[in-house]
Amino acid sequence: MWKFVTGKLLQYVIVIMLMLTLNFLLPRLMPGNPLVFLAGEDVGFMTSKEKEAILEKHGLNDSIVQQYGTYLKNIFTGDFGFSYQQKRPIIELLKERLPWTMLLTGLGLVLSTIIGVLFGTISAWRRGTKTDANLLTMFMFLSAMPSFWVGMILVSVFSAQLGWLPVFGAESAWSNLKGMDRFIDIVKHLILPLTTLVLISVTSTFMIMRYSMLNVLGEDYIMMAKAKGVKEKVIKYKHAMRNALLPVATVFMLSLGFTLGGATVIETVFAYPGVGRLMFESVLSRDYPLIQATFLIITFSVVIANFLADLIYPILDPKVGKHNG
Amino acid sequence: MSTVLSVENLSTFFKTDKGIAKAVENVSFSVDEGEMLGLIGESGCGKTTVAQSILRLIEYPGKVVAGSVYLNGKNLLKATDSDLTGLRWREISVIPQSAMNALNPVYTVGDQIIEAILLHDNVNKKEAVERTKKLLELVGIDGERWKSYPHEFSGGMKQRVAIAMALACNPKLVISDESTTGLDVLTQAQVISLIKNLQKKMNLSVILISHDLPMVTSICDRIAIMYAGNLVEWASTEEILKNAEHPYSKALLNATPDLSNPEREVTSIPGSVPNLVNIPTCCRFHTRCPYAFDRCRQETPEFKEIKPGHYVACFLEEEQNG
């Protein structure tokens, strides 16, 4: 087992190093003056001395190897650079945004997986019946709706007309709420974006689970379990669901990697202060260091999620792991 | 000898888009204590449907529409779900078609055998483990391997595990449903002789479903031959070999090479099996029967005893013997 883990770990360290190197090279391979990226349009009004000072400050006069060394050191000490548009260190921005994104997309992923799995199982178990047909229609309908539209409808009904829930943000600004009150405030702000996220993402899990469960129910070992006299509930959950969950687990792990990237559209519609919106803002304002940092976060989390999947999969599926470790 | 299982006029139909497929119609036979019955016929003739009907495993769109199945006097087709739970595996168990897929890939083979034991017998986990080890030893697998997963076994070993599982609760009757499909000839022979030995040792009644006539004739006490959902002939192995009456049985015997008489020509049966959907009343073999006459195309011949213990469904026999 440990040999397997360290082997995998080594693989991922190599992947991360490659990724960091690419991230380092990318802006240096792009055409144009680095000054434009660093100082923006103002560069035209600068004196050569000022330009020199900026290059010196960012170590751009050093050799490429030295620059690479500094870059790695900075990344590993948590220094992702400085956002010129927001006038703040990027690590501060990330620290501010990441928790909200993790709350929204993490919870969204967990909820849509649970709901999808549950209804997918029911649908497959009653294949061909009215329940199955209704569920299938409902989930297809959900997946056909664009997320910004669902978000806007929810806002207009529950916030604008009924006034039950807040329109935007992750919590009330300048309210100084503490403890339980703050928690309730946060939950209230979370409900609409979370609902939107779950509504538009639940269908894929449902479809995968339903299809996978249908396949498993046709397997001989299910009939064997029946012939053995195993109770229906036990067949459903112990024998069928356990096997049918494997593809869902794969998709879950893949999506987990992207949760830190946030849900750009939904965060924008609800003005939710997550990483997705940060990325959107950084692209709009051509804030290159920030774009780089957010992309780096996403790649990091994808790699970490893959590593987790590699660790968890052998536990879920005995066929995986032992032999390719 | 007492009768363990008796199947009377069993009919199982399947609903299809094009109509009713009469997969099994009017099938009657019985199995005595300690007897090995060979149920034989070509692919798609309803052998597995008979087995599943007996085990009450037929599901929509299939349905057992008529008949009765008595296991030690109890009608299985009328048994309630809780009756069935009690009967399954303790009285009747199955070695399934393609044992490769009959074991759940995410649980150890031991867990799957133990599940059956704990479900039916009042023993604790430790005793169940001990019995599982003994069962594995019985079929020639190291008992300590109960902790292995199905994918860690070869095909032949999985088949042995399936046999061990079928015997877990000392059943009276075991249905072996083409359980050697997909194995190489050598392993097939080993598995079959294992089943035969265990059957003698434990005085089991076995229904051996197969399409391998020479194999069945070499180990079974009686043979029932199926064609297109009907039972056409049922007699002792000796009687079938010497005095087969039904044209299909004769054709089947002629279609298999005979090692003791290599000069004899092997002849195939011309034509193909009729479509069972909306099949009209007739002898279902008439389209391929060289002796078919008008009556065969209009009536279904009755399955009746022509000599003690020898049953045939054919008009020819009637014509000849009055």
Side-chain angles (χ1 to χ4, degrees):
Chain A
M1 182 67 194
W2 282 112
K3 205 182 149 202
F4 170 73
V5 172
T6 46
K8 282 281 171 201
L9 203 61
L10 195 71
Q11 267 180 21
Y12 282 109
V13 167
I14 294 171
V15 170
I16 287 181
M17 285 316 290
L18 275 175
M19 217 172 70
L20 286 174
T21 311
L22 268 181
N23 197 54
F24 167 77
L25 287 177
L26 220 55
R28 284 164 180 80
L29 292 174
M30 277 198 285
N33 192 330
L35 280 173
V36 181
F37 298 129
L38 289 172
E41 313 272 302
D42 299 342
V43 77
F45 304 104
M46 284 177 168
T47 64
S48 57
K49 241 188 179 171
E50 281 174 318
K51 288 179 187 169
E52 193 58 34
I54 289 180
L55 287 176
E56 192 60 45
K57 186 185 164 201
H58 291 280
L60 290 169
N61 288 333
D62 298 347
S63 75
I64 195 100
V65 180
Q66 269 178 316
Q67 285 186 35
Y68 186 56
T70 322
Y71 161 80
L72 285 185
K73 199 193 103 209
N74 285 345
I75 294 282
F76 285 115
T77 49
D79 181 359
F80 288 90
F82 194 81
S83 163
Y84 283 85
Q85 296 298 326
Q86 313 246 6
K87 311 276 182 238
R88 292 170 66 192
I90 290 170
I91 189 72
E92 257 182 41
L93 285 168
L94 290 176
K95 270 187 193 160
E96 207 174 275
R97 301 294 186 100
L98 272 175
W100 294 120
T101 276
M102 278 152 85
L103 182 68
L104 176 62
T105 53
L107 215 55
L109 179 63
V110 170
L111 277 181
S112 64
T113 302
I114 292 174
I115 295 173
V117 162
L118 221 65
F119 283 99
T121 306
I122 294 173
S123 208
W125 192 256
R126 306 197 179 166
R127 66 189 174 286
T129 64
K130 258 195 178 151
T131 320
D132 181 29
N134 288 342
L135 282 173
L136 207 56
T137 319
M138 189 183 90
F139 279 101
M140 291 305 275
F141 179 71
L142 284 182
S143 76
M145 296 192 293
S147 56
F148 69 89
W149 184 78
V150 176
M152 275 151 54
I153 295 287
L154 287 179
V155 167
S156 84
V157 173
F158 293 98
S159 306
Q161 288 178 22
L162 295 171
W164 291 349
L165 295 164
V167 182
F168 66 88
E171 58 180 330
S172 304
W174 304 292
S175 57
N176 286 324
L177 290 171
K178 291 269 171 322
M180 204 56 198
D181 290 334
R182 182 166 182 232
F183 176 76
I184 291 170
D185 186 51
I186 290 175
V187 170
K188 272 188 175 171
H189 280 84
L190 190 61
I191 290 176
L192 289 184
L194 185 63
T195 311
T196 316
L197 186 60
V198 170
L199 282 181
I200 60 143
S201 58
V202 71
T203 306
S204 63
T205 316
F206 168 80
M207 293 303 269
I208 295 168
M209 186 64 192
R210 180 176 178 276
Y211 182 70
S212 158
M213 188 80 175
L214 279 179
N215 270 339
V216 170
L217 288 178
E219 290 285 346
D220 285 351
Y221 55 79
I222 297 299
M223 207 183 74
M224 257 323 255
K226 233 174 263 177
K228 274 201 287 192
V230 180
K231 288 197 179 68
E232 199 169 86
K233 248 194 189 150
V234 183
I235 293 178
K236 190 153 126 191
Y237 295 110
K238 185 181 160 196
H239 288 275
M241 207 166 158
R242 174 70 205 281
N243 279 289
L245 272 176
L246 293 176
V248 175
T250 308
V251 173
F252 180 85
M253 284 301 176
L254 283 176
S255 325
L256 192 66
F258 288 98
T259 49
L260 289 193
T264 308
V265 174
I266 291 173
E267 283 176 11
T268 307
V269 169
F270 290 95
Y272 205 81
V275 177
R277 201 166 129 242
L278 186 66
M279 195 159 55
F280 179 63
E281 288 163 359
S282 66
V283 171
L284 272 189
S285 59
R286 294 177 176 251
D287 194 343
Y288 286 97
L290 190 53
I291 297 177
Q292 256 183 303
T294 47
F295 284 173
L296 204 58
I297 287 291
I298 294 176
T299 28
F300 263 134
S301 62
V302 168
V303 170
I304 291 168
N306 269 307
F307 180 57
L308 281 179
D310 273 340
L311 291 188
I312 293 170
Y313 224 77
I315 302 169
L316 291 178
D317 185 354
K319 269 193 252 180
V320 183
K322 280 188 187 165
H323 300 293
N324 41 9
Chain B
M1 265 192 285
S2 64
T3 303
V4 172
L5 178 88
S6 92
V7 176
E8 288 163 17
N9 305 320
L10 180 74
S11 296
T12 303
F13 296 172
F14 287 84
K15 233 188 235 168
T16 70
D17 291 340
K18 288 173 190 145
I20 304 284
K22 299 181 174 175
V24 167
E25 195 171 23
N26 240 335
V27 164
S28 306
F29 63 89
S30 67
V31 186
D32 287 343
E33 196 185 327
E35 184 197 354
M36 192 176 240
L37 173 81
L39 184 59
I40 200 158
E42 54 202 287
S43 297
C45 74
K47 303 179 299 269
T48 299
T49 307
V50 168
Q52 290 184 347
S53 304
I54 295 170
L55 291 158
R56 283 277 301 266
L57 291 174
I58 296 288
E59 279 186 1
Y60 183 85
K63 198 175 180 231
V64 179
V65 292
S68 40
V69 175
Y70 290 99
L71 181 70
N72 289 323
K74 282 160 288 196
N75 190 344
L76 284 181
L77 300 184
K78 293 230 168 75
T80 62
D81 283 350
S82 62
D83 289 346
L84 274 179
T85 311
L87 288 169
R88 281 175 170 160
W89 238 246
R90 296 191 69 163
E91 305 261 331
I92 184 167
S93 69
V94 60
I95 308 168
Q97 203 164 18
S98 71
M100 313 280 168
N101 312 321
L103 298 167
N104 194 328
V106 299
Y107 297 107
T108 62
V109 296
D111 279 344
Q112 297 181 54
I113 299 176
I114 291 166
E115 182 183 40
I117 297 174
L118 291 180
L119 205 61
H120 298 292
D121 289 344
N122 193 16
V123 293
N124 61 33
K125 178 90 193 262
K126 214 178 141 204
E127 288 169 301
V129 171
E130 283 312 308
R131 203 203 286 181
T132 301
K133 287 186 191 170
K134 270 190 204 131
L135 283 163
L136 289 176
E137 304 272 349
L138 190 68
V139 296
I141 292 174
D142 181 5
E144 290 310 312
R145 294 209 58 190
W146 69 279
K147 280 181 187 157
S148 299
Y149 286 95
H151 71 274
E152 293 165 328
F153 287 108
S154 72
M157 286 167 93
K158 273 189 238 182
Q159 193 59 65
R160 287 162 187 271
V161 170
I163 294 172
M165 186 151 82
L167 301 176
C169 302
N170 293 316
K172 310 261 182 326
L173 175 74
V174 177
I175 299 180
S176 159
D177 186 2
E178 295 205 37
S179 26
T180 55
T181 317
L183 299 177
D184 61 88
V185 186
L186 212 63
T187 318
Q188 274 188 19
Q190 286 171 358
V191 168
I192 288 298
S193 64
L194 175 68
I195 294 178
K196 183 73 189 167
N197 289 339
L198 291 172
Q199 182 240 346
K200 275 188 195 151
K201 207 158 139 189
M202 303 171 76
N203 197 28
L204 287 171
S205 304
V206 175
I207 299 179
L208 191 73
I209 296 179
S210 175
H211 49 245
D212 185 350
L213 188 64
M215 187 270 283
V216 168
T217 50
S218 67
I219 64 168
C220 289
D221 305 307
R222 277 196 285 182
I223 292 179
I225 298 174
M226 268 190 99
Y227 181 79
N230 290 144
L231 213 53
V232 295
E233 190 153 10
W234 173 39
S236 70
T237 306
E238 217 187 318
E239 182 76 7
I240 292 272
L241 286 175
K242 282 185 190 150
N243 305 317
E245 282 291 340
H246 200 280
Y248 178 66
S249 314
K250 288 180 193 163
L252 209 56
L253 286 165
N254 285 331
T256 37
D258 186 352
L259 283 181
S260 59
N261 184 9
E263 296 298 308
R264 204 202 71 211
E265 207 173 314
V266 176
T267 44
S268 67
I269 307 173
S272 57
V273 188
N275 184 356
L276 298 182
V277 177
N278 297 329
I279 193 159
T281 308
C282 63
C283 167
R284 292 184 182 179
F285 190 59
H286 82 258
T287 50
R288 301 168 81 181
C289 182
Y291 316 106
F293 50 99
D294 282 348
R295 199 173 163 202
C296 306
R297 296 179 188 97
Q298 288 149 10
E299 288 174 55
T300 306
E302 201 188 331
F303 189 63
K304 58 182 184 185
E305 199 165 12
I306 54 162
K307 279 182 225 169
H310 189 162
Y311 294 77
V312 177
C314 184
F315 292 126
L316 271 179
E317 196 281 328
E318 238 170 76
E319 300 281 314
Q320 283 160 5
N321 302 343

